[in-house]
Amino acid sequence: MKNILRLPLVLVACLVAFPVWSQSTLDGHWRVTFATEGAEGREATVELKGGTGTWTTYARSDKDKKDPCVGRPLPLSIAGDPAAGKLDLRLDASSAIAGCRDRKATLQRTDDKTLEGSFDNGRAIKLVRQ
């Protein structure tokens, strides 16, 4: 009889302990690796707070010296249902600097510190919480 009474308590404890992602759990600093046309292994940083933030692409040592879209924080937003694990990233670069390319990506949570997916052109993107 005692075991039957304990079962509901164990189930409730498991449900409470299950990690739930929300927009606020995405807040913080993320290291991004991604591919672009002609360049595999590009890197950027993302800072998020409440579903919005900035994207800053690192300049490559041999290129990008005159690219106004590199090395500057550009606005982005992440929407979707973090608890379901599917998110949509939108980089609104052209709203900050004329001529910079806007991007969209679909992301999936792979673990508590990693989001992976692809841009709208099919190229891979990965965000790792720092």
Side-chain angles (χ1 to χ4, degrees):
M1 183 70 171
K2 289 181 184 180
N3 288 337
I4 292 174
L5 295 176
R6 289 182 188 165
L7 182 60
L9 292 174
V10 170
L11 290 174
V12 169
C14 289
L15 290 173
V16 170
F18 185 81
V20 176
W21 276 46
S22 66
Q23 282 303 123
S24 64
T25 61
L26 297 173
D27 289 356
H29 182 80
W30 297 79
R31 183 177 153 267
V32 183
T33 54
F34 63 102
T36 60
E37 187 175 322
E40 300 295 320
R42 298 291 311 264
E43 292 187 0
T45 59
V46 165
E47 293 287 336
L48 284 173
K49 183 164 184 171
T52 62
T54 59
W55 168 294
T56 306
T57 302
Y58 293 130
R60 295 171 288 181
S61 61
D62 59 336
K63 298 180 181 180
D64 302 325
K65 293 185 193 297
K66 294 183 180 182
D67 188 340
C69 307
V70 174
R72 297 179 186 207
L74 304 171
L76 71 79
S77 60
I78 291 186
D81 184 1
K86 183 178 177 188
L87 300 163
D88 295 314
L89 179 144
R90 181 181 177 102
L91 177 60
D92 293 317
S94 67
S95 70
I97 302 172
C100 292
R101 186 182 299 176
D102 294 340
R103 286 281 183 217
K104 294 179 184 176
T106 302
L107 303 170
Q108 299 252 336
R109 178 176 57 123
T110 56
D111 62 40
D112 288 341
K113 293 185 176 186
T114 310
L115 302 170
E116 292 186 72
S118 61
F119 285 107
D120 50 359
N121 63 5
R123 299 192 186 275
I125 179 173
K126 180 177 181 179
L127 286 78
V128 178
R129 184 185 299 278
Q130 296 297 296

